[in-house]
Amino acid sequence: MNKKIQPPLGLVDHNNLKTGEEILSTINYEMFPDEKNLLIKKGNYLVISTDFYSKMKKKRRLTQSEYPLTALPWIINQIENGFFKKKDEGGFSNFERSITAEFSEETIGINMMVHCCAENTPGLNIWNGNRKSYISNNTPQKWDIPHYMLKNSLLEELKKIADKYS
């Protein structure tokens, strides 16, 4: 695993996009109705940007996770053909719970989750081990996605983005 920490891309202001920043889609998490989650293209990166109310800071804040766009086809393939298929269909075994790969000197990983965003809600955690969280200032940056959201439409949306930009 590459340990070099990449410099931050800089937070995307949802209401004041800069040159090279493009909103691709909105993601609605029913368990977090007060959050605004956007998929954004920023340079050669897919950014998952979240505007949320911080109970600790008592104000609205931004955070985001960043993935090289070149990793998106791999992420989609691992979800679709690894995590979502049974072993006899070519998918991962019940013992395979995570996978990693390198893209643009960044280690991208996907982990299975039993409690993703809510108790007993299966999902995936997609992470970038070479970028620090904008909140905790620790690695990795993470994006949690319940299975049902991927199956309902998000995976198809990610495929369209991959086809357009990868």
Side-chain angles (χ1 to χ4, degrees):
M1 181 161 104
N2 184 349
K3 296 285 186 183
K4 181 182 176 198
I5 304 303
Q6 301 294 332
L9 294 180
L11 289 169
V12 175
D13 180 345
H14 292 192
N15 300 313
N16 189 22
L17 297 178
K18 297 176 184 164
T19 302
E21 298 174 346
E22 175 187 354
I23 296 173
L24 304 173
S25 184
T26 300
I27 306 171
N28 295 310
Y29 284 80
E30 66 181 274
M31 62 285 290
F32 307 118
D34 189 42
E35 286 186 0
K36 183 176 181 182
N37 296 280
L38 299 176
L39 293 179
I40 296 172
K41 180 185 179 293
K42 182 171 182 164
N44 294 322
Y45 284 83
L46 175 65
V47 172
I48 294 76
S49 179
T50 303
D51 176 321
F52 67 102
Y53 181 78
S54 169
K55 292 177 183 175
M56 301 220 9
K57 300 277 184 182
K58 304 215 181 312
K59 66 178 183 176
R60 294 211 66 82
R61 295 187 71 187
L62 290 170
T63 191
Q64 66 192 39
S65 54
E66 305 152 353
Y67 306 91
L69 276 168
T70 55
L72 190 54
W74 175 82
I75 292 169
I76 292 165
N77 183 56
Q78 299 311 308
I79 293 169
E80 201 168 42
N81 297 308
F83 291 103
F84 281 3
K85 284 189 178 178
K86 295 177 183 167
K87 184 172 173 53
D88 61 355
E89 298 171 330
F92 297 148
S93 76
N94 289 338
F95 302 104
E96 293 174 281
R97 296 290 182 218
S98 65
I99 190 163
T100 62
E102 296 269 332
F103 299 90
S104 304
E105 298 184 8
E106 298 183 53
T107 303
I108 307 302
I110 307 172
N111 300 338
M112 287 287 292
M113 298 177 71
V114 176
H115 307 289
C116 179
C117 303
E119 190 172 347
N120 298 319
T121 303
L124 299 172
N125 169 260
I126 302 172
W127 52 269
N128 185 334
N130 297 90
R131 293 192 174 271
K132 291 183 177 183
S133 163
Y134 284 86
I135 301 295
S136 71
N137 201 34
N138 294 319
T139 58
Q141 289 181 349
K142 300 183 274 184
W143 179 26
D144 295 341
I145 315 167
H147 284 175
Y148 77 88
M149 288 175 62
L150 286 161
K151 290 177 179 179
N152 286 349
S153 65
L154 185 54
L155 190 57
E156 289 305 313
E157 186 67 30
L158 291 173
K159 287 179 186 180
K160 289 176 188 172
I161 293 168
D163 287 345
K164 185 173 181 179
Y165 295 107
S166 298

